[in-house]
Amino acid sequence: MRSIRQKRVAAIHDISGFGRCSLTVALPIISSSGVETVVMPTAVLSTHTGGFTGYTYRDLTDDMRPVTQHWKSLNLNFDAIYTGFLGSFEQQDIVVEFFENFKNENNLVIVDPVMADNGELYKIFTPEFAVGMRKVCKKADIIIPNLTEASLLVGERYNPGPYTEDYIEDILRKLAALGPDRIVLTGVFFDDVHLGAASYINSTDEISYAFSKRVPGYFHGTGDVFGSALISALMNDFDLHQATEIAVRFTTKSIQRTAEAETDVRFGVNFEQTIPDFLKDLNLV
Ligand code: PXL
């Protein structure tokens, strides 16, 4: 029997109105898995910043401390805190304060250090931002970087792959040395046919891999689809390695559907129509 008490996650990301990513992905996915999803928007944009020009950007930094204090005054508890896109150094400090306010021995702080992909920082970020992200990751129980973000976090030159197990395991151990016990590293591949993620638990030194067939091309917002699916699975009592497999399957199926439809890759992936399969994978239906 699943417990009667419903789990609750706080998701701290931007809202990009168009171009599925961040909160427009996290909220529907995590909610669909039966988990209450509380949101703190870090900014409101007309679109995400990847490949669009002329987007609006309303920064919400000044609201983040008052929101934290209000939730504190309500004695809210979270089973997980999930952070993604942060727009500034100050927002990095504010989420660390948020963790200090809401972290307890039973919940999980999960940080996606959103800042780069394909060997490049997103245009709006500087290398110093990457250094600041280390202190956010230090406070996390689980971090979910892609390989570009991982190389920035450990201060190594980006390696475009294919990778070897030795290389991946060395990076995982270096990431754990920053503080978090558990790492889920995305964008891992040892050959041209498969693509997936590695999950690592430092305290038990366990490493596991989850792969599926690579769909050629670059698809926007997939890191957020992956992270949201991972958290949904963890909140539904799957272990880290199982949750990684579920998240790889969900992300790949969503990408496949998008590739088949030949949708503009900036629009994000069709995760919506993958939700029924996802709920079966989670044993919820
Ligand atoms: O999916 C990552 C992401 C989230 N939010 C915004 C972004 C990006 C990536 O470019 O621009 C605003």
Side-chain angles (χ1 to χ4, degrees), residues 127-250:
E128 294 76 47
F129 185 83
V131 174
M133 209 39 120
R134 285 187 200 151
K135 68 173 184 278
V136 184
C137 289
K138 185 177 159 71
K139 301 284 178 184
D141 298 295
I142 306 178
I143 61 170
I144 48 177
N146 60 39
L147 267 142
T148 309
E149 290 155 349
S151 63
L152 288 162
L153 288 170
V154 303
E156 282 190 8
R157 184 190 290 273
Y158 172 67
N159 172 349
Y163 306 101
T164 60
E165 282 195 37
D166 282 350
Y167 178 81
I168 295 298
E169 290 169 19
D170 180 60
I171 288 261
L172 289 169
R173 292 200 169 87
K174 285 178 177 153
L175 287 166
L178 296 176
D181 182 51
R182 285 174 266 176
I183 318 285
V184 179
L185 180 62
T186 59
V188 174
F189 62 102
F190 299 134
D191 58 53
D192 292 341
V193 181
H194 301 97
L195 178 65
S199 49
Y200 175 59
I201 304 177
N202 185 41
S203 49
T204 53
D205 203 34
E206 275 172 68
I207 297 178
S208 184
Y209 293 94
F211 290 107
S212 63
K213 270 199 149 169
R214 177 194 284 271
V215 181
Y218 175 76
F219 297 85
H220 203 91
T222 51
D224 300 327
V225 170
F226 178 89
S228 303
L230 182 90
I231 284 153
S232 302
L234 291 170
M235 291 294 104
N236 280 283
D237 299 327
F238 290 89
D239 71 26
L240 190 72
H241 307 305
Q242 294 166 327
T244 302
E245 282 176 18
I246 290 170
V248 167
R249 272 198 293 278
F250 180 62

Side-chain angles (χ1 to χ4, degrees), residues 14 16 21-22 45 47-50 57 85 114 122 124 220-221 224:
D14 69 285
S16 293
C21 69
S22 43
L45 296 82
T47 67
H48 60 69
T49 67
Y57 190 117
F85 180 91
V114 174
Y122 296 138
I124 53 169
H220 203 91
D224 300 327

